C-alpha cells in the first residue's frame, strides 16, 4: 500500500510563495491519479488540483494561474507550488493518491497559513 508523507507547510504573508511536498512510499506510477486537497476550519474538503498518470491536470478555479502541480517520479514525490498566496488559501492541505482496486490514500495534512 502506498503511504504519503506531506511537508512544506507554514506561515507566509499574502503575496508570498510556498512549495508543498508529498513523498510516496511506493512508485507514484502505481497511482492512477494524485492530487492536492485542502480543508479550512468549518469547511468541506475541496479539490485544489489533481493529475492523472498521463499528466492531465485539473485545477480549482480559485487557484488557476497561481498554483502548479508537478511530480518527480525518480523521487516518488509530488509537489504543489503555490504563488501569490491569499488569506483565503489558509487551510490544511492534503496529498491524495487513487488507484483502481485500492481506493484513496491520504497524507496526514500540512497546515498553510497566509496572514500578515
Amino acid at each position: 500500500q502506498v503511504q504519503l508523507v506531506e511537508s512544506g507547510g507554514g506561515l507566509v504573508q499574502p503575496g508570498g510563495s510556498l512549495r508543498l511536498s508529498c513523498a510516496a512510499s511506493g512508485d507514484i506510477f502505481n497511482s492512477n491519479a494524485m492530487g492536492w486537497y485542502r480543508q479550512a476550519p468549518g469547511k468541506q474538503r475541496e479539490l485544489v488540483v489533481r493529475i492523472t498518470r498521463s499528466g492531465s491536470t485539473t485545477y480549482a478555479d480559485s487557484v488557476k494561474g497561481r498554483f502548479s502541480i508537478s511530480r518527480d517520479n525518480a523521487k516518488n514525490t509530488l509537489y504543489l507550488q503555490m504563488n501569490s498566496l491569499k488569506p483565503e488559501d489558509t487551510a490544511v492541505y492534503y496529498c491524495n493518491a487513487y488507484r483502481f482496486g485500492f481506493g484513496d490514500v491520504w497524507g496526514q495534512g500540512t497546515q498553510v497559513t497566509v496572514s500578515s
Side-chain angles (χ1 to χ4, degrees):
Q1 292 181 318
V2 64
Q3 293 183 327
L4 308 175
V5 179
E6 296 155 305
S7 62
L11 174 64
V12 297
Q13 293 186 319
S17 298
L18 204 61
R19 189 177 79 158
L20 306 183
S21 299
C22 173
S25 62
D27 193 333
I28 61 175
F29 280 128
N30 290 332
S31 298
N32 297 109
M34 297 190 71
W36 291 93
Y37 293 73
R38 67 186 182 186
Q39 186 170 23
K43 302 293 184 180
Q44 297 292 320
R45 187 173 298 184
E46 65 176 353
L47 171 71
V48 177
V49 59
R50 66 177 176 181
I51 185 169
T52 67
R53 290 183 63 180
S54 66
S56 178
T57 57
T58 301
Y59 289 88
D61 289 339
S62 59
V63 306
K64 287 181 179 177
R66 300 189 298 119
F67 291 10
S68 180
I69 192 171
S70 63
R71 60 190 178 193
D72 187 332
N73 293 326
K75 296 180 179 180
N76 291 320
T77 301
L78 187 74
Y79 302 97
L80 180 65
Q81 178 66 47
M82 304 185 293
N83 300 321
S84 301
L85 284 162
K86 305 175 180 179
E88 306 93 273
D89 296 318
T90 296
V92 177
Y93 284 70
Y94 298 91
C95 183
N96 168 265
Y98 177 81
R99 184 183 179 188
F100 298 148
F102 291 89
D104 288 297
V105 176
W106 296 90
Q108 81 287 350
T110 184
Q111 177 71 49
V112 172
T113 302
V114 185
S115 177
S116 59

